[in-house]
Amino acid sequence: WGRGYPISELERYKEISIQTGYGNFDDVIVIQDNSRRPYDKDNIKIIFWSKSRGYVRFEKYDGSLGELVNIIIHWNHRNYDEFQRV
């Protein structure tokens, strides 16, 4: 998805608040695709990253969105995030 971002750089990003089907997040930073790949409408353009939960929303180049609606804890104690189109 492009080059990695150093933590020191991400720490300087302005935090915003967003609401998803799962809830409100007040610690979200917006990370833009910085790759130099050829345009593909199915690629992710923007990730909305919660510092406490990880990615909670994404936007593709075709304009479609996916967002966190649920976190499921399975018997093996692994978290599985559930996303849906919005």
Side-chain angles (χ1 to χ4, degrees):
W1 193 63
R3 72 167 175 82
Y5 289 88
I7 296 295
S8 59
E9 180 181 338
L10 295 175
E11 287 174 340
R12 293 190 304 265
Y13 281 35
K14 180 182 177 191
E15 293 181 8
I16 63 170
S17 297
I18 64 169
Q19 182 174 351
T20 72
Y22 182 76
N24 296 320
F25 299 90
D26 296 323
D27 62 346
V28 175
I29 60 174
V30 179
I31 304 172
Q32 302 279 340
D33 176 17
N34 63 10
S35 72
R36 294 195 171 118
R37 291 181 302 188
Y39 170 80
D40 183 341
K41 66 181 175 134
D42 290 327
N43 287 345
I44 293 176
K45 176 181 177 183
I46 302 169
I47 292 176
F48 296 83
W49 183 268
S50 164
K51 291 181 177 180
S52 62
R53 286 291 192 182
Y55 63 97
V56 294
R57 180 179 288 159
F58 61 86
E59 180 180 336
K60 293 170 113 180
Y61 277 98
D62 68 1
S64 63
L65 296 172
E67 71 176 27
L68 182 67
V69 294
N70 198 6
I71 296 177
I72 302 168
I73 310 282
H74 287 270
W75 64 271
N76 61 5
H77 303 290
R78 290 186 182 161
N79 290 352
Y80 291 90
D81 298 339
E82 186 174 84
F83 282 80
Q84 74 177 21
R85 283 185 172 235
V86 290

